[in-house]
């Protein structure tokens, strides 16, 4: 992952070269292939270079185009170069970097240019003629963009740590964001754990000059998007779009690593890539997988081997059953800058480290394929509401047979309970407060009342949850959770000189999957129906028709206490004034004791996620002033 940094003094002050160099140098870990800085009066850009495409090799960023008085810095991979080359009158060859496509797109379409770009990107363009700064971030949030805005200045960076070096920017903790962390609210798009630092939301652009700032949402999933084709056409079209989404992300001369879990999503990615690459290279595909010998309920080795046995694949396994959820936690936090949302991030940290040891520079992941394809949420309830009882019986029986469940229990869970009016569900919830996540912070009455946390909790967890299947799919695809997860993964891969790519987040694929009729998403009891049929002959049949997948939850539930009981005891039973500002320690201790003594039955009050989030925030609060790297001298390009 490359990185970008920038300073714009809105009051006309000239940027000190040493200032931009200081914030750019701290991101040296993201740019092993060189560092660049350009200063132009009151504006300065920085860049750390990681080569990941043929076109990026030898690219010099920031780039100043003297003919147009424009300057650009970017971290980008543009996938529709061929289309853009015709519209922008640029040759599509290896000598033309993606950043030039972005710059020319801006010159032609102005602030509407992000709408015309496909791929993953974060960039900033200084327009010297208009004296405006224009920034944009890709539609789903693969590439991060953090900034600080004041009356006199605007500062941006790929990582928070660079902004914390600027004297004007305070390191004051954002209490609301910390509370959201404990309440498991991860869909908020703008806040960070620092009061003075914000995120540019995915799918947004920003235009700023000395007087005003304009933040615009340039992409929004059309809720009315709908496609009507014959059944076989749906299958054929999915196969074409998915193959192209994978092909675009194979554009690199460097070694690629594939995350292979054994589930249908990652397996589909590996098998499709294998079909593409086997015709162009003699090298085997390199896959990286977790094995859980000590936790057989998590282990997917049987399914992983089904893919490996197809040939042309070299597997690398990471023994993950003995990895603590807090393994290397201080090192990870040093790169993350904030408490992270993924409870098993240590597993992925070690997986990316293994990729780095195998000289991988680009990783491909099947992340969130089930969300993009849809599991057909609320479809059975819709059939009942619309009096399609024959279809309902067929689907309930099909689902019951596939998942080996009693049809009556499926009917109760998938049809009857979803039909209970929200009013009665609210009554049930109010009489069972133990089902809430985040009691630690909600029980801190002073903080809860001051920040109105009950309302935030209620609004995020219980309201505005759609009841119709297509509306629910829209809700999932529009969630800010994607952005938050991708930001965490970006900082993990960035620590190991790896660029992550996610074919399921291809905009064309996401829009196509959303536009499908529900019967193509869920049919005969099968979720991801169209994908299962589209990959016939590509996927091993045992994976193609899997009805479930293993969960990583037991890793946290068992390993947190097994490996970190001493640490947890120290954090929970010793006074810590900083964490006491956010939580009710009595609630923390009660929950921890229930977690220590709980049986196999799920106990919401003893949920290890609550304990893990508390411990992580505590460690971060104690150490957050120590995370910045020592200053380095970066190699200039």
């Amino acid at each position: 992952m490359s990185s970008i940094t920038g300073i714009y003094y809105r009051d006309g002050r000239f940027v000190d070269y040493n200032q931009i160099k200081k914030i750019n140098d701290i991101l040296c870990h993201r740019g092993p292939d060189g560092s660049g800085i350009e200063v132009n009066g009151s504006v300065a850009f920085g860049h750390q270079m990681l080569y990941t495409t043929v076109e990026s090799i030898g690219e010099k960023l920031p780039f100043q185009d003297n003919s147009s008085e424009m300057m650009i810095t970017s971290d980008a991979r543009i996938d529709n170069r061929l289309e853009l080359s015709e519209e922008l009158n640029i040759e599509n060859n290896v000598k033309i970097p993606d950043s030039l496509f972005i710059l020319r797109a801006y010159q032609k379409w102005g602030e509407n240019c992000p709408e015309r770009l496909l791929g993953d990107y974060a960039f900033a363009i200084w327009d010297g003629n208009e004296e405006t700064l224009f920034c944009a971030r890709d539609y789903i949030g693969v590439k991060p963009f953090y900034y600080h805005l004041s009356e006199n200045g605007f500062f941006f960076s790929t990582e928070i740590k660079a902004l914390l070096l600027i004297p004007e920017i305070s390191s004051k903790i954002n209490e609301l964001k910390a509370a959201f962390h404990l309440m498991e609210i991860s869909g908020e798009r703008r806040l960070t754990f620092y009061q003075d630092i914000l995120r540019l939301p995915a799918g947004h652009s920003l235009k700023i000059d000395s007087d005003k700032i304009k933040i615009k949402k340039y992409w929004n999933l059309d809720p009315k998007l709908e496609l009507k084709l014959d059944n076989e056409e749906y299958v054929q079209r999915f196969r074409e779009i998915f193959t192209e989404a994978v092909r675009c992300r194979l554009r690199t001369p460097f070694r690629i690593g594939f995350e292979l879990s054994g589930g249908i999503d990652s397996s589909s990615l590996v098998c499709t890539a294998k079909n593409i690459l086997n015709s162009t290279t003699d090298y085997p595909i390199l896959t990286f997988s977790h094995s859980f010998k000590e936790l057989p309920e998590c282990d997917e080795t049987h399914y992983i081997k089904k893919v490996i046995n197809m040939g042309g694949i070299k597997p690398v396994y990471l023994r993950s059953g003995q990895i603590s959820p807090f393994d290397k936690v201080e090192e990870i936090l040093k790169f993350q800058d904030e408490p992270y949302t993924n409870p098993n991030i240590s597993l992925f940290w070690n997986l990316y480290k293994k990729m780095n040891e195998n000289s991988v520079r680009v990783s491909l992941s099947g992340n969130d394929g089930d969300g993009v394809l849809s599991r057909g949420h609320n479809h059975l309830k819709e059939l009942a509401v619309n009096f399609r009882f024959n279809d309902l019986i067929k689907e309930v029986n099909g689902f019951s047979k596939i998942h080996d469940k009693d049809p009556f229990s499926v009917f109760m869970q998938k049809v009857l309970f979803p039909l209970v009016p929200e009013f009665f569900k609210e009554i049930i919830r109010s009489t069972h407060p133990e089902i809430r996540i985040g009691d630690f912070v909600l029980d801190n009455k002073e903080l809860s009342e001051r920040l109105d946390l009950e309302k935030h909790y209620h609004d995020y967890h219980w309201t505005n949850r759609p009841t119709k299947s297509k509306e629910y799919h829209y809700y999932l695809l529009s969630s800010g959770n994607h952005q938050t997860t991708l930001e965490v993964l970006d900082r993990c891969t960035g620590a190991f000189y790896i660029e992550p790519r996610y074919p399921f987040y291809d905009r064309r694929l996401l829009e196509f999957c959303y536009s499908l009729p529900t019967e193509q998403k869920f049919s005969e009891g099968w979720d991801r129906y169209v994908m299962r049929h589209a990959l016939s002959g590509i996927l091993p049949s045992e994976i193609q028709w899997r009805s479930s997948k293993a969960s990583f939850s037991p890793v946290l539930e068992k390993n947190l206490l097994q490996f970190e009981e001493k640490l947890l005891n120290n954090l929970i039973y010793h006074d810590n004034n900083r964490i006491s500002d956010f939580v009710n320690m009595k609630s923390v201790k009660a929950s921890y004791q229930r977690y220590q003594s709980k049986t196999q039955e799920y106990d919401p009050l003893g949920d290890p996620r609550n304990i893990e989030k508390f411990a992580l925030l505590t460690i971060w609060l104690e150490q957050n002033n120590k995370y910045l790297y020592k200053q380095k001298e970066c190699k200039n390009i």
Side-chain angles (χ1 to χ4, degrees), residues 294-505:
E294 300 83 3
L295 297 168
E297 64 269 46
C298 300
D299 196 63
E300 296 271 64
T301 304
H302 169 78
Y303 294 101
I304 292 169
K305 287 182 176 179
K306 292 292 180 182
V307 177
I308 304 302
N309 291 341
M310 296 180 71
I313 298 172
K314 179 182 177 181
V316 177
Y317 291 97
L318 179 69
R319 186 171 175 177
S320 303
Q322 291 293 301
I323 296 177
S324 162
F326 282 164
D327 181 50
K328 300 180 179 67
V329 62
E330 292 194 6
E331 181 182 3
I332 294 173
L333 283 171
K334 183 171 67 174
F335 282 92
Q336 287 290 325
D337 298 325
E338 304 177 292
Y340 40 85
T341 54
N342 190 325
N344 289 307
I345 203 66
S346 58
L347 299 182
F348 293 95
W349 180 268
N350 282 279
L351 193 72
Y352 296 136
K353 181 180 179 183
K354 182 70 70 174
M355 285 187 177
N356 176 261
E357 292 169 355
N358 284 269
S359 303
V360 167
R361 192 169 274 218
V362 171
S363 74
L364 264 68
S365 166
N367 189 65
D368 203 36
D370 52 355
V372 173
L373 269 295
S374 173
R375 290 183 172 274
H377 297 278
N378 297 331
H379 180 49
L380 299 182
K381 186 197 75 170
E382 274 191 286
L383 293 177
V385 169
N386 293 321
F387 304 109
R388 295 171 57 184
F389 297 122
N390 288 337
D391 291 334
L392 176 62
I393 293 170
K394 175 184 174 183
E395 294 294 346
V396 168
N397 286 334
F399 187 89
S400 303
K401 183 178 180 181
I402 292 167
H403 295 273
D404 194 24
K405 292 186 176 182
D406 175 61
F408 179 74
S409 64
V410 171
F411 178 80
M412 293 292 290
Q413 179 185 1
K414 301 288 185 180
V415 181
L416 192 59
F417 183 72
L419 287 172
V420 175
E422 190 66 25
F423 171 76
F424 293 107
K425 292 180 183 178
E426 287 289 344
I427 295 176
I428 295 172
R429 293 178 190 126
S430 66
T431 59
H432 292 78
E434 69 273 8
I435 67 173
R436 298 190 307 180
I437 296 170
D439 274 335
F440 301 165
V441 67
L442 291 168
D443 286 347
N444 182 333
K445 299 303 181 184
E446 188 278 328
L447 185 71
S448 183
E449 291 176 6
R450 176 157 53 84
L451 300 180
D452 203 5
L453 296 183
E454 288 284 358
K455 183 180 186 303
H456 285 298
Y457 181 88
H458 182 275
D459 289 348
Y460 183 80
H461 285 286
W462 302 123
T463 61
N464 302 320
R465 294 295 176 98
T467 57
K468 295 182 179 179
S469 183
K470 191 174 182 69
E471 290 176 353
Y472 198 92
H473 196 187
Y474 184 88
Y475 166 80
L476 291 177
L477 296 178
S478 303
S479 167
N481 292 328
H482 304 294
Q483 175 186 314
T484 301
T485 298
L486 291 170
E487 288 164 347
V488 172
L489 293 175
D490 170 86
R491 293 187 290 269
C492 282
T493 54
F496 297 104
Y497 313 134
I498 295 171
E499 178 178 273
R501 299 177 181 178
Y502 307 95
F504 282 99
Y505 283 140

Side-chain angles (χ1 to χ4, degrees), residues 7 43 95 97 140 204 274 357 376 593:
I7 297 174
V43 179
K95 295 181 180 180
I140 201 70
H204 283 66
K274 178 176 177 293
E357 292 169 355
Q593 289 164 4

Side-chain angles (χ1 to χ4, degrees), residues 7 53 61 124 131 217 249 266 405 455 503 535 602 637:
I7 297 174
T53 64
L61 285 173
E131 295 191 336
K217 188 173 186 178
R249 287 158 180 81
S266 65
K405 292 186 176 182
K455 183 180 186 303
L535 296 177
Y602 176 67
I637 58 173

Side-chain angles (χ1 to χ4, degrees), residues 155-196:
F155 310 86
F156 67 85
S157 176
T158 297
E159 292 187 12
I160 289 174
K161 59 174 61 66
L163 298 179
L164 291 173
L165 292 178
I166 297 171
E168 292 108 302
I169 300 177
S170 164
S171 59
K172 182 180 179 182
I173 304 300
N174 187 321
E175 292 182 331
L176 185 60
K177 180 66 174 181
F180 281 178
H181 169 78
L182 294 171
M183 294 159 63
E184 211 164 81
I185 296 178
S186 58
E188 198 283 326
R189 293 176 172 85
R190 296 185 72 244
L191 300 180
T192 73
F193 278 80
Y194 294 94
Q195 192 73 41
D196 285 355

Side-chain angles (χ1 to χ4, degrees), residues 478-626:
S478 303
S479 167
N481 292 328
H482 304 294
Q483 175 186 314
T484 301
T485 298
L486 291 170
E487 288 164 347
V488 172
L489 293 175
D490 170 86
R491 293 187 290 269
C492 282
T493 54
F496 297 104
Y497 313 134
I498 295 171
E499 178 178 273
R501 299 177 181 178
Y502 307 95
F504 282 99
Y505 283 140
D506 186 287
R507 194 171 82 192
R508 296 160 294 188
L509 180 63
L510 184 144
E511 291 176 341
F512 172 80
C513 290
Y514 174 72
S515 71
L516 292 171
T518 302
E519 287 75 15
Q520 290 296 322
K521 303 170 187 176
F522 187 97
S523 185
E524 301 174 16
W526 293 102
D527 61 14
R528 290 173 283 186
Y529 187 75
V530 68
M531 180 179 181
R532 295 179 190 271
H533 282 278
L535 296 177
S536 290
I538 298 175
L539 271 178
S541 59
E542 191 172 345
I543 295 177
Q544 180 185 3
W545 298 106
R546 285 193 66 179
S547 60
S548 61
K549 62 180 180 180
S551 168
F552 282 174
S553 295
V555 180
L556 178 66
E557 293 168 6
K558 296 183 179 181
N559 287 1
L560 181 61
L561 200 60
Q562 178 181 342
F563 293 108
E564 303 296 350
E565 187 168 16
K566 181 179 179 180
L567 171 67
L568 295 175
N569 287 337
N570 183 59
L571 295 177
I572 291 170
Y573 292 112
H574 290 76
D575 290 338
N576 184 309
N577 293 330
R578 297 203 74 186
I579 192 64
S580 298
D581 292 339
F582 296 95
V583 301
N584 182 309
M585 288 304 300
K586 184 178 179 181
S587 296
V588 174
K589 292 172 183 176
S591 181
Y592 179 55
Q593 289 164 4
R594 291 182 70 150
Y595 170 49
Q596 286 179 302
S597 61
K598 78 175 193 173
T599 62
Q600 293 298 315
E601 184 178 351
Y602 176 67
D603 179 0
L605 273 182
D607 191 329
R609 288 178 303 167
N610 284 337
I611 305 300
E612 184 264 348
K613 286 180 178 294
F614 161 82
L616 190 61
L617 180 59
T618 304
I619 295 169
W620 180 76
L621 287 170
E622 291 178 348
Q623 302 292 330
N624 74 306
N625 290 326
K626 303 177 183 179

